């Protein structure tokens, strides 16, 4: 098992957001996290990334308890988190943004190798490597944010709404890249508003409602589920 959340409860200040979340990701899987606005999807990713701490419950990554471990240590253990809203460093170049993603990689050769790997995956980033991130289109910034989170060579990549604000043609490109990243051995936890899209690529998915897991199953099972169809797939 790569990642295991056992009855995670957490929130912000005194406000509880997640309640008894149980989920797991096996090596090699793409797992989707679906749910309405405010359901707690981003909060779940933040908790796994160590940005916020669990109030109750345990998180295990590759069998080791990660509760209370700092985000940068989790990055070095293989957890990469690409947050909502592509927060690239606007004033830095594409190349500088990517190098920041590798700041924990000591080995210069390894980080050069990763850079070439990311450029192979997203050739547009290579073409624009000396441009400022601010000069990229929205979809290109999304590629940069994903590319940056891949620079640390993660075992688990968490993507928060990679399709948000991206034109349909680029969404397809980004999703085919997500599948390529997965095929290269990185497991993926994907938060996505577009349930159709997510269930197409996900091996399994969880549906969150008001901070609780209300459904789980394979992509195929959930696409066939009446509640999912009515509430998330827009099929009456
Ligand atoms: N930094 C914060 N401080 C206080 N409350 C927060 C904070 N971030 C999120 N919340 C609250 O936690 C709840 C869950 O938010 P979260 O961002 O996890 O939802 P989400 O499922 O990612 O929604 P969306 O689809 O809109 O991104 C919401 O009620 C939100 O108002
Ligand atoms: Mg969110």
């Amino acid at each position: 098992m790569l990642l295991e959340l056992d009855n995670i409860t957490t929130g912000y200040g005194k406000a509880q957001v997640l309640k008894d979340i149980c989920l797991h990701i096996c090596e090699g899987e793409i797992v989707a996290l679906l749910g309405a606005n405010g359901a707690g999807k981003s909060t779940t990713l933040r908790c796994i990334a160590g940005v916020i701490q669990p109030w109750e419950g345990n998180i295990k990554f590759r069998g080791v308890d990660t509760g209370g471990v700092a985000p940068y240590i989790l990055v070095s253990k293989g957890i990469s988190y690409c947050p909502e809203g592509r927060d690239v460093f606007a004033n830095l170049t594409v190349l500088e943004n990517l190098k920041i993603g590798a700041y924990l990689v000591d080995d210069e050769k390894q980080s050069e190798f990763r850079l070439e790997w990311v450029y192979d995956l997203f050739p547009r980033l290579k073409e624009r490597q000396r441009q400022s991130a601010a000069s990229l289109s929205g979809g290109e910034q999304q590629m940069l944010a994903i590319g940056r989170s891949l620079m640390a060579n993660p075992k688990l990549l968490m993507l928060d709404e990679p399709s948000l604000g991206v034109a349909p043609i680029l969404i397809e490109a980004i999703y085919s890249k997500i599948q390529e990243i997965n095929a290269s051995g990185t497991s993926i936890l994907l938060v996505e508003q577009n349930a159709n899209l997510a269930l197409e690529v996900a091996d399994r998915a969880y549906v969150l409602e008001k901070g609780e897991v209300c459904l789980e199953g394979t992509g195929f099972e959930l696409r066939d589920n009446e509640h999912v169809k009515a509430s998330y797939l827009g099929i009456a």
Side-chain angles (χ1 to χ4, degrees):
M1 196 76 73
L2 187 67
L3 180 81
E4 227 175 330
L5 270 63
D6 177 23
N7 283 298
I8 290 296
T9 296
T10 190
Y12 304 92
K14 286 194 176 138
Q16 182 179 320
V17 174
L18 300 182
K19 185 165 185 280
D20 295 330
I21 299 282
C22 293
L23 69 80
H24 69 271
I25 300 173
C26 301
E27 269 320 316
E29 273 190 318
I30 300 183
V31 172
L33 202 52
L34 309 177
N37 291 125
K41 304 180 297 296
S42 298
T43 302
T44 305
L45 298 197
R46 282 185 207 124
C47 191
I48 296 167
V51 179
I52 62 169
Q53 300 306 319
W55 295 355
E56 281 168 42
N58 295 305
I59 302 181
K60 277 190 181 157
F61 183 65
R62 307 176 92 190
V64 178
D65 213 315
T66 66
V69 176
Y72 75 94
I73 299 199
L74 294 177
V75 174
S76 74
K77 303 268 180 228
I79 300 181
S80 259
Y81 167 44
C82 187
E84 219 168 358
R86 34 179 134 103
D87 64 340
V88 294
F89 299 102
N91 297 324
L92 301 186
T93 65
V94 167
L95 178 60
E96 287 163 344
N97 266 279
L98 290 174
K99 285 193 166 165
I100 286 172
Y103 76 107
L104 289 170
V105 183
D106 287 335
D107 185 339
E108 187 74 21
K109 276 224 175 83
Q110 176 63 18
S111 116
E112 279 299 314
F113 176 82
R114 272 325 269 181
L115 185 64
E116 285 313 312
W117 191 82
V118 168
Y119 280 158
D120 280 347
L121 201 58
F122 297 112
R124 256 182 224 223
L125 296 182
K126 186 167 192 176
E127 290 161 22
R128 290 158 173 72
Q129 60 178 328
R130 309 269 166 219
Q131 277 177 227
S132 75
S135 70
L136 300 179
S137 76
E140 289 162 356
Q141 287 183 19
Q142 187 64 63
M143 292 178 197
L144 178 56
I146 297 172
R148 190 181 57 194
S149 51
L150 289 169
M151 286 297 288
N153 196 12
K155 295 269 177 304
L156 172 66
L157 174 63
M158 298 194 287
L159 299 170
D160 201 343
E161 309 217 17
S163 73
L164 197 72
V166 174
I169 187 150
L170 271 187
I171 294 181
E172 250 176 61
I174 288 174
Y175 266 78
S176 89
K177 295 302 174 189
I178 291 173
Q179 286 174 299
E180 259 180 67
I181 293 162
N182 176 247
S184 79
T186 301
S187 305
I188 294 175
L189 179 57
L190 176 68
V191 165
E192 184 53 75
Q193 288 280 335
N194 184 335
N196 272 307
L197 194 59
L199 291 178
E200 247 172 61
V201 300
D203 298 302
R204 289 185 306 109
Y206 294 85
V207 181
L208 285 187
E209 270 176 22
K210 296 186 180 136
E212 294 187 69
V213 173
C214 71
L215 273 172
E216 62 177 286
T218 63
F220 184 77
E221 282 164 356
L222 290 187
R223 263 188 291 180
D224 221 32
N225 178 285
E226 291 306 322
H227 177 65
V228 172
K229 278 193 204 168
S231 302
Y232 300 102
L233 297 178
I235 305 167

